[in-house]
Structures are given as C-alpha cells and as structure tokens.
Amino acid sequence: MTGIAVLLADGYEAKYDASMWGVMIFSIIFVAFQIYIKEALIKDHWSKVPLIIKFIWWTVFAGNSIGAIKRLMETFIF
C-alpha cells in the first residue's frame, strides 16, 4: 500500500513523506510484535534470558519506538 502511495505522490517531499509513513507503520507493528513476544510467549522466563539477548531486545525496542514517535511527530506536529 505504501508503494502505491509513493508512486502516486508528486514531488520528492511527498514521496519521502509517504515512504516514511510506511516505515513508521512497520516500526509500530514490530514494536507490538516485540511486546507480544515478551509478554505472551516469554512471560516469567524473562529472568532466564541471557543479558546480551536482553540488551539486543531493548536496543531494537527503543530504536523502533523512538523512530516511530519521531516520524509520527514529523507527520502531524511539525
């Protein structure tokens, strides 16, 4: 769907905004998936997960969350 919006948009800025909107939606879906994995599948076993895996998980989670919020603010606020 985002590809169609990018192709239909006129001008570089409109194409960039449409593609960033798709990246934001993907980031939000991936954050929701990560929350599902941690809360529904791992549950009480989170304390048994190695520290390096926790670090990678939190880094990816924070990066996607901050990126999605940034793109959302750029789209609707700025």
Side-chain angles (χ1 to χ4, degrees):
M1 189 69 181
T2 303
I4 294 171
V6 170
L7 292 175
L8 292 175
D10 292 331
Y12 173 76
E13 296 228 1
K15 290 181 190 269
Y16 178 78
D17 290 340
S19 61
M20 287 299 106
W21 181 257
V23 170
M24 180 192 67
I25 291 172
F26 176 78
S27 294
I28 291 171
I29 291 171
F30 192 70
V31 165
F33 177 72
Q34 281 187 292
I35 291 171
Y36 169 75
I37 292 294
K38 184 177 180 291
E39 296 298 326
L41 300 180
I42 296 178
K43 294 181 187 173
D44 298 330
H45 303 291
W46 184 249
S47 60
K48 298 175 186 172
V49 174
L51 186 60
I52 189 69
I53 302 297
K54 288 181 185 177
F55 177 77
I56 292 170
W57 189 91
W58 280 110
T59 303
V60 171
F61 181 80
N64 279 314
S65 299
I66 292 169
I69 291 168
K70 177 181 174 253
R71 289 181 188 93
L72 186 71
M73 290 176 63
E74 286 175 351
T75 301
F76 292 111
I77 296 174
F78 300 127

